[in-house]
Amino acid sequence: MARGFQTKLPPPYLKQVRLRDDVPIDRTRYPYNLPLLRDDDFVLHFDRSITIMVGENGVGKSTLLEGIAAIAGFDEAGGGPGYRPLDHSTAIEWNGDRLQDILRASWLPKVGQGWFFRAESFFSVSRYLDQAALEVSALPPDFLSHSHGEGFLRFFAERCARPGIFLFDEPESALSPRRQFEFVNLLRTIAAEGKAQVIVATHSPILMATPEARLLSVTRAGIDPIALEDTDHYRLYREFVLDPHGVVEAMSDD
């Protein structure tokens, strides 16, 4: 999808990702050994403009998001299609972007615009944008001359006003609870405008409560729809709010 993309089709543009049946898979090596990919019939459907994936650390939700980002044309460090904010030439690690070798995506239509947001690389990507902007303007966007959370939200609001596909890996990491509600409002605006698809991996019950979003539970057993009230995150936070000291003591004993 070139710049200036126009379509009458509503999101989601990415309809599904599934395992390819025409390539060998070495399930002894990360990330191909993720438990949720153990079955050859793995498939993940998208039927809403906003999909939110939740799950414990280590189940593979962020790794899967990295794989989807790579399929969509994003660099593993984040940014937009074609952006290369970091030098990976000396990297020896294998990350979720390797999943693009074994996953096949179904699009309608195929998008080529959007953004992959990773909290840990936000600084590098923002500096990359500022330096690129200086080549054509004396006024770069300057997302870094603010608090971390304010910079995040300015960045989100500016980028997500455009059509495309937007992937967010734990965007709550630099947002206070009140700021997280602002991000939920941004997601609601995106859904109402019907021009963009959003996939989020999060631990935040506030973001999980985004109206009209598809909430998916990612576990070692697979990926399944779930209600907010049934998530472990919601239940733990609810117990904490009702008895903070008791929960802290109980968790400390564990």
Side-chain angles (χ1 to χ4, degrees):
M1 182 176 67
R3 292 186 182 278
F5 158 74
Q6 297 288 334
T7 180
K8 293 182 180 179
L9 295 174
Y13 307 120
L14 176 62
K15 300 297 184 182
Q16 71 173 28
V17 292
R18 61 180 177 85
L19 282 181
R20 295 175 57 178
D21 57 10
D22 59 341
V23 296
I25 301 175
D26 181 4
R27 287 191 168 89
T28 66
R29 188 166 191 177
Y30 178 84
Y32 311 132
N33 61 356
L34 289 176
L36 61 87
L37 299 176
R38 68 169 64 88
D39 296 326
D40 291 335
D41 60 354
F42 168 82
V43 60
L44 173 57
H45 296 281
F46 299 97
D47 59 5
R48 307 275 181 91
S49 59
I50 297 177
T51 302
I52 298 177
M53 299 190 296
V54 305
E56 279 297 326
N57 292 331
V59 297
K61 62 184 185 304
S62 292
T63 303
L64 182 58
L65 193 67
E66 291 173 7
I68 294 172
I71 291 173
F74 302 121
D75 185 78
E76 62 189 85
Y83 286 60
R84 296 294 179 264
L86 298 179
D87 179 9
H88 305 295
S89 60
T90 60
I92 61 174
E93 71 275 7
W94 281 41
N95 293 314
D97 61 306
R98 297 274 184 166
L99 291 179
Q100 68 180 315
D101 299 331
I102 65 168
L103 293 176
R104 175 171 285 122
S106 298
W107 301 84
L108 189 63
K110 175 69 171 67
V111 301
Q113 293 180 184
W115 201 265
F116 176 33
F117 173 83
R118 302 189 66 179
E120 62 267 32
S121 58
F122 176 75
F123 182 90
S124 298
V125 173
S126 295
R127 176 164 287 179
Y128 173 89
L129 287 176
D130 284 345
Q131 291 173 341
L134 283 173
E135 297 178 3
V136 296
S137 171
L139 295 174
D142 190 17
F143 295 111
L144 297 175
S145 295
H146 303 269
S147 74
H148 210 180
E150 289 175 334
F152 273 32
L153 286 172
R154 286 186 65 238
F155 184 84
F156 296 156
E158 192 272 336
R159 290 285 154 178
C160 293
R162 310 172 186 182
I165 183 168
F166 297 88
L167 312 175
F168 294 96
D169 188 17
E170 300 181 11
E172 73 275 9
S173 59
L175 300 176
S176 70
R178 185 174 295 276
R179 293 294 192 182
Q180 290 179 42
F181 283 109
E182 293 182 34
F183 185 67
V184 169
N185 288 333
L186 174 61
L187 295 181
R188 297 185 73 175
T189 298
I190 292 172
E193 292 180 349
K195 298 186 297 183
Q197 179 178 2
V198 179
I199 305 174
V200 181
T202 184
H203 293 291
S204 167
I206 294 175
L207 302 192
M208 295 177 201
T210 301
E212 305 302 323
R214 179 73 155 176
L215 189 60
L216 298 176
S217 172
V218 182
T219 67
R220 295 183 181 275
I223 303 178
D224 298 288
I226 193 170
L228 169 65
E229 294 78 7
D230 293 330
T231 64
D232 292 338
H233 303 71
Y234 174 88
R235 290 175 174 175
L236 182 58
Y237 272 70
R238 184 176 184 275
E239 290 176 9
F240 174 78
V241 169
L242 294 175
D243 182 16
H245 301 293
V247 170
V248 168
E249 286 300 319
M251 297 300 287
S252 298
D253 291 341
D254 289 343

